[in-house]
């Protein structure tokens, strides 16, 4: 039932798209028919061209996401459990959270050059901030009674951290990771559009746009949406298994 | 013997003033004895449990426990809000293994065995592999009791553990808990707001005055070790209940 409900809107949107384009209401130079986009997408995938671009994008975004998680989760846990650290870091984090990653491209280019390192560094910057904030929030929600109970049992600070604080922060950590994953994907595509490369979905989309290969551009956009959707679904399945107790 | 010797404790109020919770309070608990504390809100019952568990230090006086401060696993604590104590990400058995993991010195197999044995004592072994959110409120609270007792602590502290449960379930749990404590000769301090519960469970009932808490009367319950739920309908039980209530009322009037 949920799957059926979930696909009603995409089907309606594609139908509307079809009507608007076949009736000539929208110039195919701006929006080609869904059939031609689908045809271009399938052709791109069969030839392997789009798979190569997707692989490059996925590799960069997952690389950036993993580094951001490795940095963001421990820092978030520390901030969430230490008043002093929270007071020390919160204003700086809030400041940088408000600064769009794309605005810092020049700085990252200056620091890391025009290669993949700069692109991944932008992802790490943006995704780590989201992960830190959500993880810290999760760690702040840990119930004091649970910590007190563990102390009465004789738990050390280390026991309390690993056996109580970390698992109880999982809902916050996962919320952060889900946002960070989609953000990593979006940001890497933007960097591929503006920071020198000749491979990646961002490059594919911007290149098609510049030479007016409009169906290719939309095929790239559709594939981007599809990959993002699949990645999010994957994390949701993992989250359901790991966080089986949430909401019960 | 566990001794609370002339303990005083006060806390700072939000407006900066001090409020005295306990003043020159003394109480002894013999090995295997179950002492229930019955008194009005804010009279220091939970503070006494915190003092015994070591999570709060007295301003004056002493808490003397017959084991070294470094020793782990001598105190079990059953909290009122059981939902906040058990770990929902662990199964029932794994929740019982938690204190054993903390204490160390046992293998995974030994911990599993010990946890299962404890669950059997309370008739919960068939739920061992369930998650705690799959249990009823009564079973949930029994698991917290199991978790607090799985390592056979010298002293069990219970802070109104059955207050969120309905009367029928509570009565069944009184019996199970009382039988377990007697069988294991476990010294217990049990805080209660329910007079029947306090009498049924306790070898002694200490009636406390309003703040600062002191013992108005220390009543020995003459029903022996083995008890049945029919006991609550006997004239002796009614007489004790009356005595406790009149002491409680007198204390309230005096402090008003």
């Amino acid at each position: 039932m949920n799957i059926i409900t979930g696909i009603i809107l995409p089907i309606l949107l594609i139908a509307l798209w079809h009507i608007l384009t076949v009736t000539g209401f929208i110039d195919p130079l701006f929006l080609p028919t869904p059939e031609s986009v689908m045809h271009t997408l399938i052709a791109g995938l069969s030839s392997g061209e789009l798979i190569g671009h997707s692989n490059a994008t996925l590799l960069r975004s997952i690389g950036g996401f993993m580094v951001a998680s490795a940095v963001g989760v421990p820092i978030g846990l520390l901030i969430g459990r230490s008043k002093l650290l929270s007071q020390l870091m919160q204003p700086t984090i809030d400041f940088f959270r408000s600064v769009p990653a794309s605005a810092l491209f020049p700085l990252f280019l200056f620091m890391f050059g025009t290669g993949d390192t700069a692109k991944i560094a932008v992802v790490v910057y943006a995704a780590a901030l989201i992960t830190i904030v959500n993880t810290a929030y999760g760690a702040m929600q840990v119930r004091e009674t649970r910590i007190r109970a563990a102390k009465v049992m004789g738990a050390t600070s280390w026991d309390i951290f690993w056996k109580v604080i970390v698992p109880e922060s999982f809902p916050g950590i996962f919320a952060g990771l889900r946002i960070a994953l989609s953000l990593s994907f979006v940001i890497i595509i933007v960097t591929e559009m503006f920071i020198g490369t000749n491979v990646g979905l961002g490059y594919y989309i911007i290149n098609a746009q510049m030479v007016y290969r409009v169906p290719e551009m939309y095929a790239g956009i559709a594939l981007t949406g599809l990959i993002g959707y699949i990645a999010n679904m994957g994390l949701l399945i993992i989250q359901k298994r790991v966080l089986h107790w949430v909401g019960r | 013997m566990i001794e609370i010797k002339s303990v005083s404790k006060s806390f700072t109020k939000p407006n900066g003033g001090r409020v005295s919770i306990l003043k020159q309070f003394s109480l002894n608990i013999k090995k295997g004895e179950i002492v229930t504390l019955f008194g009005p809100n804010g009279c220091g019952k939970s503070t006494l449990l915190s003092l015994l568990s070591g999570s709060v230090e007295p301003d004056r006086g002493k808490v003397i426990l017959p084991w070294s401060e470094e020793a782990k696993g001598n105190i079990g604590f059953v909290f009122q809000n059981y939902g906040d104590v058990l770990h929902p990400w662990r199964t029932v058995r794994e929740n019982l293994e938690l204190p054993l993991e903390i204490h160390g010195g046992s293998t995974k197999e030994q911990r599993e065995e010990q946890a299962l044995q404890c669950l059997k004592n309370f008739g919960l072994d068939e739920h061992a592999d369930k998650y705690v959110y799959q249990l009823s409120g009564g079973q949930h609270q029994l698991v917290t009791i199991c978790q607090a007792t799985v390592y056979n602590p010298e002293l069990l502290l219970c802070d109104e553990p059955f207050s969120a449960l309905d009367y029928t379930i509570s009565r069944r749990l009184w019996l199970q808990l009382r039988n377990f404590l007697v069988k294991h000769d476990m010294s217990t301090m049990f805080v209660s707001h329910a007079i029947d519960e306090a009498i049924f469970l306790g070898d002694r009932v200490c009636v406390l005055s309003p703040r600062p808490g002191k013992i108005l009367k220390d009543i020995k319950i003459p029903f022996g070790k083995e008890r049945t739920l029919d006991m609550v309908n006997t004239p002796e039980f009614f007489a004790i209940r009356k005595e406790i209530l009149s002491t409680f009322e007198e204390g309230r009037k005096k402090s008003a």
Side-chain angles (χ1 to χ4, degrees), chain A residues 143 145-146 148-149 152-155 159 163-164 167-168 244-245 248, chain B residues 50 72 77 79 83-89 101-103 131 133 147:
Chain A
R143 294 171 205 207
T145 317
R146 213 162 263 153
R148 203 177 145 211
V152 173
M153 287 172 203
D159 290 326
K163 293 177 193 295
V164 182
E168 198 161 359
H244 55 85
W245 74 89
R248 302 213 196 198
Chain B
S50 299
K72 280 182 177 182
F77 204 125
F79 291 85
D84 289 350
V85 175
L86 295 176
H87 294 186
W89 53 90
E101 287 168 21
I102 288 170
H103 300 157
Y131 287 98
Y133 55 77
Q147 192 190 51

Side-chain angles (χ1 to χ4, degrees), chain B residues 152-195:
Chain B
N152 289 317
E154 293 284 334
L155 173 65
L156 182 67
L157 305 170
C158 301
D159 193 1
E160 300 182 46
F162 306 138
S163 60
L165 303 173
D166 71 46
Y167 188 67
T168 318
I169 295 170
S170 295
R171 276 165 55 100
R172 192 165 49 78
L173 298 188
W174 299 347
L175 193 63
Q176 277 184 282
L177 179 63
R178 169 90 202 172
N179 287 343
F180 175 85
L181 296 174
V182 169
K183 187 177 165 192
H184 290 82
D185 203 26
M186 204 173 278
S187 309
T188 304
M189 184 179 268
F190 192 104
V191 166
S192 180
H193 260 125
I195 192 161

Side-chain angles (χ1 to χ4, degrees), chain B residues 71-159:
Chain B
K72 280 182 177 182
N74 283 311
I75 295 175
F77 204 125
V78 186
F79 291 85
Q80 185 178 2
N81 35 353
Y82 50 82
D84 289 350
V85 175
L86 295 176
H87 294 186
W89 53 90
R90 287 172 172 252
T91 62
V92 168
R93 183 172 41 75
E94 287 166 347
N95 264 286
L96 266 66
E97 286 176 39
L98 176 70
L100 306 173
E101 287 168 21
I102 288 170
H103 300 157
S106 57
T107 63
K108 172 82 182 147
E109 288 72 29
Q110 286 170 329
R111 290 196 292 271
E112 278 182 11
E113 181 55 37
Q114 204 170 333
L116 268 178
Q117 189 52 51
C118 184
L119 287 170
K120 268 184 196 162
N121 286 334
F122 286 94
L124 284 170
D125 45 320
E126 62 180 291
H127 303 294
D129 293 320
K130 284 184 185 169
Y131 287 98
V132 285
Y133 55 77
Q134 296 172 308
L135 305 178
S136 68
Q139 289 167 336
H140 208 137
Q141 187 56 299
L142 265 186
V143 175
T144 64
I145 293 171
C146 287
Q147 192 190 51
T149 55
V150 65
Y151 47 96
N152 289 317
E154 293 284 334
L155 173 65
L156 182 67
L157 305 170
C158 301
D159 193 1

Side-chain angles (χ1 to χ4, degrees), chain A residues 198-248:
Chain A
N198 54 12
V199 66
L201 281 173
Y203 163 79
Y204 179 86
I205 293 167
I206 201 82
N207 197 39
Q209 185 195 329
M210 281 175 173
V211 294
Y212 288 98
R213 290 203 300 258
V214 183
E216 276 184 25
M217 183 185 88
Y218 281 102
I221 292 170
L223 186 59
T224 304
L226 206 63
I227 293 172
Y229 175 77
I230 291 168
N232 190 48
M233 286 301 285
L235 256 190
L236 263 181
I237 291 168
I238 296 172
Q239 181 176 323
K240 240 181 178 174
R241 278 181 164 261
V242 177
L243 304 180
H244 55 85
W245 74 89
V246 174
R248 302 213 196 198

Side-chain angles (χ1 to χ4, degrees), chain A:
Chain A
M1 189 64 189
N2 276 342
I3 295 169
I4 295 168
T5 318
I7 60 170
I8 288 174
L9 188 59
I11 288 172
L12 285 176
L13 285 174
I14 292 169
L16 181 69
W17 175 11
H18 177 77
I19 292 164
L20 290 174
T21 47
V22 295
T23 54
F25 191 79
I26 296 179
D27 189 333
L29 197 63
F30 295 110
L31 186 67
T33 60
E35 293 83 356
S36 71
V37 172
M38 183 66 79
H39 181 261
T40 312
L41 178 62
I42 292 168
L45 288 171
S46 331
S47 70
E49 188 192 4
L50 271 175
I51 291 178
H53 287 297
S54 306
N55 282 347
T57 300
L58 279 173
L59 213 66
R60 289 174 187 139
S61 54
I62 290 173
F65 167 74
M66 286 174 79
V67 176
S69 312
V71 172
V73 172
I75 293 178
L77 286 170
L78 290 174
I79 290 176
R81 297 308 304 171
S82 160
K83 223 174 188 174
L84 180 69
L85 261 183
S86 169
Q87 285 167 351
L88 194 74
M89 296 184 75
Q90 201 65 46
T92 314
I93 289 171
D94 286 341
F95 173 82
F96 280 109
R97 261 206 313 159
S98 314
V99 177
S102 51
L104 295 172
F105 279 175
L107 180 67
F108 284 98
L109 282 172
F110 171 72
M111 286 164 69
F112 301 104
T114 54
D116 277 357
T117 316
K119 295 180 192 66
I120 292 170
V122 178
V123 169
V124 172
Y125 160 76
L129 283 174
I130 290 291
T131 311
I132 289 171
V133 170
N134 280 277
T135 303
Y137 183 72
M140 283 172 196
Q141 305 301 309
V142 175
R143 294 171 205 207
E144 287 307 316
T145 317
R146 213 162 263 153
I147 292 176
R148 203 177 145 211
K151 277 184 185 163
V152 173
M153 287 172 203
T156 59
S157 303
W158 189 245
D159 290 326
I160 291 170
F161 182 77
W162 281 112
K163 293 177 193 295
V164 182
I165 292 171
V166 171
E168 198 161 359
S169 306
F170 273 166
I173 295 173
F174 258 87
L177 292 183
R178 268 185 65 201
I179 303 170
L181 183 66
S182 48
L183 193 66
S184 304
F185 195 58
V186 169
I187 287 175
I188 215 73
I189 285 175
V190 176
T191 62
E192 286 168 351
M193 287 175 170
F194 300 110
I195 301 178
T197 184
N198 54 12
V199 66
L201 281 173
Y203 163 79
Y204 179 86
I205 293 167
I206 201 82
N207 197 39
Q209 185 195 329
M210 281 175 173
V211 294
Y212 288 98
R213 290 203 300 258
V214 183
E216 276 184 25
M217 183 185 88
Y218 281 102
I221 292 170
L223 186 59
T224 304
L226 206 63
I227 293 172
Y229 175 77
I230 291 168
N232 190 48
M233 286 301 285
L235 256 190
L236 263 181
I237 291 168
I238 296 172
Q239 181 176 323
K240 240 181 178 174
R241 278 181 164 261
V242 177
L243 304 180
H244 55 85
W245 74 89
V246 174
R248 302 213 196 198

